[in-house]
Amino acid sequence: MICYMISEQLTRCHLEEVKNGHNPYVIILTRSEWMDSSESFDMGIELEPDVQEIMMTKADVNYDSITGTFRIPDRNDFESPGRSFAFALDEKGIVFIDDGIAATEIVEKIAVAKRWRKPSYERFMYDFLDCIISSDQALLKRYEDVLDHMEESIQLETGTVTVEELNEIRSAIRELRNHYEQMLDLTEVLEENENHFFSEDNLRYFRLFAGKIERLKDMCISLRDHTIQVRDVYKTHLDIKQNNIMTVLTVVTTIFMPLTVIVGWYGMNFRYMPELEYQGSYIIVILISAAIVLGEIMFFKKKKWL
C-alpha cells in the first residue's frame, strides 16, 4: 500500500496520517489489500475489481462515492491488452486498486514533477488524467508524418507500401479514438459533480481536460480520413499499374496476331501453293512480317498506346 497527501506536491505518508489528516489523499493498493481494508475508507461500497475483466475506461456514480476503471492502451502495441486498474473516490480522496504498476508509475511521476501554487484535489485529478494522454499528440503527429510519407512513396514510386501497414495504423487510430471517447465520458461524470465531491470553482480543470480530449479525438478523425485517402491513392495506383500491364499485353498480342495468321496460312502446306516452290518466298515472308510489326508499332506510338 502506497499513501500520499495532496499539499503543495504529493507527499508520501502512512495510512494513519491519511486517516487523521485534513488534506485529500491518494492511495494505491492491490486488489487483495483493498478487500482487506476497504471498510476503513468508509465509502459504503462493495467493489471487487478484477483487473483481468476490465475492458474499458468508465466511471459510475454511487450514493456516496464514484467508482470506475481505467483501461490504458499500450501505445507501442495496440493489439496487447494494455494496462488496467480500478479506482474509488469520495470527497476525502481517491484509491487506486492495481495489481500492476500502471497507477503507481503515474502517481510517482506526478509526485516527482509537479508542484502546485494552489494545490487541490481537482488539480491532482487533472494531472493524473493528463499523464495518461501526455504523449499522444506527438504520437498522432508521427502517424500523420508516416501517412504523408506513404502517400508520397505511392505517388513517386520511391518505396513499398502495403495494405497491412495501412490497416495497422488505422486500427491504432481506432483504438485511440475509442479510448478518448471513454475518457471523455469519465471526465463528464467528474465534471457533473453529482455528489459534490469537488469544489465548483475547480471544475474548470475537468473542462480543460475535456477540451484536450476533444482535440485529440478530432485529430484521430482527421487521421482516419487520411488513411482512407492514402488507401484510395494506393488502390488507384494499383489499378493504373494493372491497366498498364494489360495495355502492354494487349499491344503485344495485337502485334503478333497478323504473324500468327501468316504462320497458320502457310503452315497448311497445300500441294499447289506456288509460294512453297518460289525461291525467294522465305525472304519475302520475313520482310512482310517485319513491315507489319514496324507499322503496328508506329501506329500504336502515334495513338500513344506505347
Side-chain angles (χ1 to χ4, degrees):
M1 182 183 298
I2 304 174
C3 303
Y4 290 92
M5 296 290 288
I6 300 176
S7 54
E8 283 75 13
Q9 64 183 109
L10 285 182
T11 305
R12 194 79 172 263
C13 61
H14 297 288
L15 183 60
E16 292 74 16
E17 296 177 77
V18 167
K19 293 180 178 179
N20 299 327
H22 299 287
N23 291 345
Y25 61 77
V26 178
I27 296 178
I28 308 168
L29 39 70
T30 63
R31 182 188 176 194
S32 59
E33 290 173 334
W34 168 259
M35 299 296 293
D36 293 338
S37 60
S38 59
E39 293 182 359
S40 64
F41 294 104
D42 193 28
M43 291 187 182
I45 56 172
E46 295 182 1
L47 178 64
E48 300 181 7
D50 186 349
V51 174
Q52 301 298 326
E53 295 181 357
I54 295 176
M55 302 301 296
M56 63 184 298
T57 298
K58 65 175 183 176
D60 298 315
V61 179
N62 307 301
Y63 176 73
D64 53 2
S65 65
I66 296 177
T67 58
T69 56
F70 283 95
R71 180 186 176 277
I72 304 174
D74 185 348
R75 269 59 170 179
N76 296 317
D77 183 9
F78 284 94
E79 294 183 0
S80 68
R83 300 182 296 173
S84 303
F85 54 91
F87 71 90
L89 66 84
D90 59 11
E91 72 279 3
K92 300 175 185 176
I94 184 168
V95 179
F96 294 106
I97 305 103
D98 186 7
D99 288 334
I101 60 172
T104 302
E105 287 181 344
I106 296 173
V107 173
E108 287 182 349
K109 182 178 179 181
I110 295 173
V112 171
K114 297 293 183 180
R115 291 182 64 90
W116 301 300
R117 187 178 299 275
K118 296 181 179 180
S120 66
Y121 190 11
E122 300 80 10
R123 179 56 196 264
F124 165 78
M125 292 295 297
Y126 168 82
D127 285 332
F128 184 88
L129 296 172
D130 189 57
C131 279
I132 296 175
I133 62 166
S134 59
S135 62
D136 285 6
Q137 189 167 6
L139 175 64
L140 293 176
K141 182 62 171 63
R142 287 198 298 272
Y143 281 137
E144 185 179 7
D145 293 340
V146 169
L147 290 171
D148 287 338
H149 178 71
M150 293 173 71
E151 187 172 6
E152 183 179 354
S153 297
I154 293 171
Q155 293 173 343
L156 301 179
E157 297 185 354
T158 57
T160 302
V161 177
T162 63
V163 176
E164 288 74 17
E165 290 177 304
L166 280 171
N167 289 338
E168 184 178 343
I169 294 176
R170 191 175 183 186
S171 297
I173 293 170
R174 182 174 61 249
E175 282 290 329
L176 283 173
R177 183 186 176 190
N178 291 338
H179 176 56
Y180 296 148
E181 289 176 346
Q182 295 167 16
M183 290 285 285
L184 188 60
D185 290 341
L186 180 144
T187 306
E188 288 175 349
V189 170
L190 299 178
E191 185 184 353
E192 188 176 357
N193 198 24
E194 182 177 332
N195 290 342
H196 304 288
F197 292 155
F198 307 114
S199 165
E200 291 292 332
D201 293 337
N202 290 333
L203 292 180
R204 58 190 176 88
Y205 288 119
F206 299 132
R207 289 192 290 271
L208 180 61
F209 180 76
K212 284 190 174 184
I213 288 290
E214 286 285 3
R215 289 191 292 274
L216 290 173
K217 183 180 172 183
D218 290 342
M219 288 182 69
C220 283
I221 295 173
S222 177
L223 286 174
R224 182 197 60 186
D225 295 340
H226 197 172
T227 57
I228 295 174
Q229 176 183 333
V230 173
R231 186 185 61 184
D232 291 342
V233 171
Y234 176 75
K235 292 178 65 176
T236 301
H237 184 71
L238 282 183
D239 291 340
I240 291 173
K241 290 181 68 175
Q242 291 175 352
N243 289 339
N244 291 337
I245 293 172
M246 291 303 299
T247 299
V248 172
L249 292 175
T250 303
V251 168
V252 171
T253 303
T254 305
I255 287 175
F256 286 97
M257 188 178 296
L259 305 185
T260 305
V261 173
I262 293 175
V263 171
W265 185 270
Y266 287 100
M268 293 185 291
N269 292 325
F270 287 129
R271 183 175 181 181
Y272 299 106
M273 291 179 70
E275 294 85 355
L276 297 179
E277 303 294 334
Y278 183 63
Q279 188 175 1
S281 295
Y282 181 66
I283 300 298
I284 292 173
V285 170
I286 291 177
L287 294 175
I288 292 174
S289 299
I292 291 173
V293 171
L294 183 60
E296 288 181 314
I297 291 175
M298 293 176 63
F299 176 78
F300 291 142
K301 284 191 174 181
K302 184 177 180 180
K303 293 292 186 179
K304 296 183 179 179
W305 296 344
L306 282 177

